């Protein structure tokens, strides 16, 4: 997958998360989770773009590590939404699958970058 496709996927995931949070309950729990997942999901794409502009291989690795952390955090919040039954699991599954795929891609990217650095 090239960088433009990956930028597009991170943007699409963030948009899907933002739209999904509009369906969370207006309860304190729903609002807390909505704020957290919005921050982490939008951070994935923003930090990936920053990684693409990194100044060195070490800088790239550090920024990709942040991207991976934010993608994994987004997955955590999706799993929590499912576990707390804030939204139906069937509606969350496609978004969870997409986020899991991004976690795998960024994990592989980080591993490859570290191997190139060595």
């Amino acid at each position: 997958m090239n960088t433009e496709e990956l930028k597009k996927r991170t943007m699409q995931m963030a948009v899907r998360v933002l739209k999904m949070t509009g369906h969370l309950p207006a309860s304190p729990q729903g609002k807390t989770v909505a704020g957290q997942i919005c921050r982490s999901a939008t951070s994935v794409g923003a930090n990936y773009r920053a990684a693409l502009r990194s100044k060195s291989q070490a800088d790239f690795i550090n920024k990709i590590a942040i991207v991976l952390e934010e993608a994994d955090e987004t997955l955590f919040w999706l799993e929590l939404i499912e576990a707390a039954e804030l939204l139906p699991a069937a509606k969350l599954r496609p978004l969870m699958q997409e986020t899991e795929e991004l976690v795998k891609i960024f994990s592989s990217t980080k591993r490859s970058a570290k191997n190139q650095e060595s």
Side-chain angles (χ1 to χ4, degrees), residues 25-33:
S27 65
Q29 299 88 341
K31 289 179 182 179
T32 298
V33 172

Side-chain angles (χ1 to χ4, degrees), residues 1-2 31 33 42 45 59 63 65 67 84 87 93 95 106 115-116:
M1 174 175 307
N2 68 39
K31 289 179 182 179
V33 172
T42 56
D59 188 31
K63 288 178 178 170
V67 173
L87 289 175
R93 283 288 158 204
L95 185 52
F106 291 122
N115 289 340
Q116 289 174 3

Side-chain angles (χ1 to χ4, degrees), residues 57-81:
Q57 186 71 359
D59 188 31
F60 177 80
I61 292 167
N62 287 334
K63 288 178 178 170
I64 283 296
I66 293 167
V67 173
L68 176 57
E69 183 179 309
E70 295 293 340
D72 190 54
E73 181 179 337
T74 300
L75 186 56
F76 167 81
W77 293 116
L78 289 167
E79 290 169 354
L80 182 63
I81 291 166

Side-chain angles (χ1 to χ4, degrees), residues 1-116:
M1 174 175 307
N2 68 39
T3 57
E4 288 305 314
E5 289 172 350
L6 197 47
K7 281 178 15 182
K8 186 176 180 179
R9 280 184 76 174
T10 61
M11 178 69 76
Q12 289 170 340
M13 185 268 294
V15 168
R16 289 174 67 196
V17 166
L18 292 175
K19 289 180 179 180
M20 178 271 305
T21 59
H23 299 284
L24 287 169
S27 65
Q29 299 88 341
K31 289 179 182 179
T32 298
V33 172
Q36 293 288 344
I37 196 169
C38 283
R39 280 187 284 284
S40 65
T42 56
S43 181
V44 173
N47 281 298
Y48 179 62
R49 286 177 179 233
L52 295 176
R53 294 186 306 273
S54 56
K55 295 174 178 62
S56 66
Q57 186 71 359
D59 188 31
F60 177 80
I61 292 167
N62 287 334
K63 288 178 178 170
I64 283 296
I66 293 167
V67 173
L68 176 57
E69 183 179 309
E70 295 293 340
D72 190 54
E73 181 179 337
T74 300
L75 186 56
F76 167 81
W77 293 116
L78 289 167
E79 290 169 354
L80 182 63
I81 291 166
E82 179 183 38
E85 299 178 346
L86 297 175
L87 289 175
K91 296 214 178 232
L92 293 169
R93 283 288 158 204
L95 185 52
M96 290 173 79
Q97 185 176 12
E98 173 67 16
T99 306
E100 286 173 7
E101 288 175 19
L102 289 171
V103 167
K104 288 176 184 175
I105 289 167
F106 291 122
S107 180
S108 176
T109 301
K110 180 182 170 191
R111 209 173 17 260
S112 294
K114 279 188 167 187
N115 289 340
Q116 289 174 3

